[in-house]
Amino acid sequence: MKRKLLKTVLLTTLPVMAGYLAIGIGFGILLKVNGYGLWWAIGMSVFIYAGAMQYVGVSLLARGASLLTVALTTLIVNARHLFYGITMIDRYKGAGAKKAYLMHALTDETYSLVCSGNVPDGVKPHLYYLLISAFNHIYWVVGSILGVLVGSIIPFDTRGIDFAMTALFITVFIDQWRNT
């Protein structure tokens, strides 16, 4: 059963893996180009784990932004996660010790997969949600690490990447706004 469940979770999260590896590599490269190394990539990816904010965070770090600026920017960039969390209260009820991590790991993509309601027969929903969340989180961390390593080997001109991530965030926000 465990092997089948892991295979199901892997297949379910493959599209997320493709995206997270690519975007995570970009993040890692941006970190490296701005003078931050492997431990920054790991720390930000494990503890912050918010792609758009991590990209913005690199710029804020590089420019020496104040704590107030960082806090306000984080609130603005990640405000949608407050609504995600509220909608998951019932779904995560009874998750016990898993609940804190499930809330922390609630990205746009994880939210979509958890809300799909496709929990395999005979599997406890909270275990399935935990595995979906953990697999996606691992993909992001691995992508970030690969980006720092690639950025160490190959020189990159990252001019314009800040705008690309801002444009991506605005596009996702407008699309979500229209859908709700």
Side-chain angles (χ1 to χ4, degrees), residues 1-179:
M1 180 64 171
K2 288 181 184 181
R3 183 173 278 167
K4 184 179 177 185
L5 175 59
L6 293 176
K7 181 180 177 182
T8 299
V9 170
L10 177 65
L11 292 174
T12 301
T13 60
L14 274 177
V16 175
M17 179 179 67
Y20 277 14
L21 288 178
I23 295 171
I25 288 171
F27 166 70
I29 290 170
L30 186 64
L31 260 178
K32 187 63 182 170
V33 166
N34 280 281
Y36 299 96
L38 183 63
W39 293 111
W40 278 93
I42 293 169
M44 289 179 79
S45 296
V46 168
F47 297 110
I48 298 173
Y49 187 40
M53 187 57 220
Q54 286 180 237
Y55 271 87
V56 172
V58 174
S59 298
L60 293 173
L61 282 170
R63 290 179 178 83
S66 70
L67 187 56
L68 179 62
T69 300
V70 172
L72 289 174
T73 304
T74 302
L75 180 63
I76 292 166
V77 171
N78 289 326
R80 69 191 183 283
H81 291 277
L82 296 171
F83 299 105
Y84 289 169
I86 290 168
T87 65
M88 299 308 271
I89 290 172
D90 286 337
R91 190 174 300 258
Y92 289 167
K93 189 177 281 181
K98 297 177 194 86
K99 188 174 187 177
Y101 178 74
L102 289 169
M103 296 304 276
H104 168 69
L106 199 54
T107 62
D108 299 335
E109 296 77 11
T110 301
Y111 179 82
S112 294
L113 293 177
V114 169
C115 285
S116 72
N118 296 330
V119 178
D121 291 335
V123 175
K124 294 179 181 177
H126 294 132
L127 173 61
Y128 183 69
Y129 303 151
L130 177 69
L131 290 173
I132 292 284
S133 301
F135 272 53
N136 288 346
H137 199 170
I138 289 167
Y139 302 148
W140 180 257
V141 173
V142 169
S144 299
I145 291 169
L146 289 174
V148 169
L149 297 175
V150 168
S152 298
I153 298 168
I154 304 169
F156 283 92
D157 180 3
T158 59
R159 280 180 290 166
I161 200 166
D162 295 342
F163 174 75
M165 287 310 296
T166 302
L168 175 62
F169 174 74
I170 290 169
T171 302
V172 168
F173 176 78
I174 290 170
D175 186 52
Q176 288 178 346
W177 183 274
R178 286 181 183 164
N179 289 335

